[in-house]
Amino acid sequence: MANKPNQVSDQLVTWSELEGKVVLITGASSGFGWDFSINLAKAGCKIIAAARRLDRLETLCNLINKSSSFNTPLAMPLELDISADSLVIEAAVQKAWTAFGHIDVLINNAGIRGSTSTTLQLSNEEWNNVFKINLDGTWLCSKYVASRMRDAGIGGSIINISSIYGVNRVVGVGSLAYSSSKAAMHTLTTVMALEFGIHNIRVNAIAPSIFRSEITKELFQMKWLRRVFDKIVPQPFFYDATVDPSLTELIRYLIHDSTKYVTGNVFIVDGGNTLAGVPIWSSL
């Protein structure tokens, strides 16, 4: 009997299995991070789920470990506030490193949208808070993980979760701090890729549009959103896209050793809605 399409796909896609890879995921208590953790655990990865809400992380890790066929835990929770002092972040990274003996992959997923204040209304506190979490936290986590990868001589992959708001052809009113932080993340990605390459550490970013997730559930219930998608997204089916597999397959690809020459890139995943440079939330 012929193989079913999904069985054939599993055999052909080399990154469908990532057994043994140790992955640290920030912002894992909800949204993208939650979905990434579950998906990568299914691929055989060992997950260090990091975020501020320890109770949520424990629920996530219990869910992963209960569904695992292994005798030892596949996932462990790590309380981490990436807006904390650098010494606190380094201590958390060290704890993550010792959990499974090393880290192969860092997914810098934690981030905030911040307020929708216009440039003239935006406060210094709002600006600083967005940058501290979206940029400083990404830099510090990357710094401390990469330094340990270098010292251990194992190399690895760092994946920064950005946004289409960081792409220069996307403009959104009330997104000054957020857009600036994500654009800066793209520069951070390319510079780190340049500097970490000698240590066999590759660095890439993913710039997604809005996807259905726990965080965006209420947004997708708004009738006007479908009309916006219909007008600005070339792929009409994008409205129904989900994190898994839309983003998780790309994450798996960037983790797999076959992508050892893929570094310094920003992968846009948006169904083509930024191709024409249409401003988000325009009057179209």
Side-chain angles (χ1 to χ4, degrees):
M1 185 176 184
N3 285 333
K4 295 180 180 180
N6 62 327
Q7 293 175 324
V8 174
S9 176
D10 288 343
Q11 293 175 20
L12 295 179
V13 180
T14 59
W15 54 88
S16 63
E17 291 294 332
L18 301 167
E19 187 170 340
K21 293 289 187 182
V22 179
V23 185
L24 170 58
I25 305 173
T26 68
S29 60
S30 62
F32 286 1
W34 181 285
D35 290 341
F36 293 162
S37 298
I38 291 176
N39 179 274
L40 293 178
K42 290 178 180 177
C45 295
K46 297 177 180 179
I47 306 298
I48 304 166
R52 293 176 297 176
R53 295 180 289 178
L54 188 58
D55 58 329
R56 292 274 300 174
L57 295 176
E58 290 173 343
T59 299
L60 170 64
C61 291
N62 287 336
L63 180 65
I64 292 173
N65 291 329
K66 284 181 180 179
S67 61
S68 171
S69 59
F70 293 91
N71 294 324
T72 56
L74 271 183
M76 68 150 285
L78 175 69
E79 189 171 8
L80 171 61
D81 180 357
I82 63 169
S83 67
D85 180 85
S86 61
L87 293 178
V88 174
I89 294 178
E90 184 174 19
V93 168
Q94 180 58 38
K95 184 177 180 180
W97 186 271
T98 58
F100 293 109
H102 69 285
I103 294 174
D104 295 299
V105 181
L106 167 64
I107 302 179
N108 284 307
N109 171 70
I112 60 169
R113 169 64 174 79
S115 76
T116 56
S117 301
T118 64
T119 302
L120 297 180
Q121 296 170 334
L122 188 68
S123 68
N124 292 353
E125 290 75 19
E126 289 173 322
W127 171 276
N128 291 336
N129 188 47
V130 169
F131 267 76
K132 190 169 185 61
I133 294 174
N134 292 358
L135 198 63
D136 292 8
T138 296
W139 163 53
L140 289 171
C141 286
S142 300
K143 174 182 178 180
Y144 296 132
V145 170
S147 65
R148 285 160 175 76
M149 289 177 172
R150 175 202 61 195
D151 295 344
I154 62 173
S157 176
I158 295 176
I159 304 169
N160 299 323
I161 305 302
S162 182
S163 167
I164 57 171
Y165 274 88
V167 180
N168 61 10
R169 59 180 180 250
V170 176
V171 179
V173 175
S175 67
L176 181 68
Y178 181 71
S179 295
S180 299
S181 70
K182 293 303 184 179
M185 178 182 280
H186 295 169
T187 299
L188 178 145
T189 296
T190 55
V191 173
M192 288 199 306
L194 180 65
E195 295 180 348
F196 293 173
I198 194 172
H199 306 301
N200 195 27
I201 301 170
R202 55 196 188 278
V203 188
N204 293 282
I206 299 176
S209 181
I210 302 171
F211 280 87
R212 290 180 179 272
S213 71
E214 176 190 359
I215 293 177
T216 61
K217 183 178 180 180
E218 292 185 5
L219 178 61
F220 272 86
Q221 292 175 347
M222 303 295 179
K223 293 182 179 179
W224 59 264
L225 184 65
R226 183 60 182 260
R227 294 195 295 270
V228 171
F229 270 59
D230 287 344
K231 289 181 180 293
I232 71 173
V233 182
Q235 295 181 329
F237 47 82
F238 183 75
Y239 179 79
D240 297 314
T242 54
V243 175
D244 183 9
S246 302
L247 298 179
T248 53
E249 283 299 307
L250 179 54
I251 291 281
R252 288 192 185 197
Y253 169 72
L254 294 174
I255 289 175
H256 197 271
D257 293 337
S258 64
T259 60
K260 64 180 181 180
Y261 298 120
V262 179
T263 191
N265 299 285
V266 177
F267 293 86
I268 300 173
V269 186
D270 67 350
N273 75 26
T274 63
L275 289 175
V278 178
I280 299 298
W281 318 126
S282 72
S283 59
L284 289 179

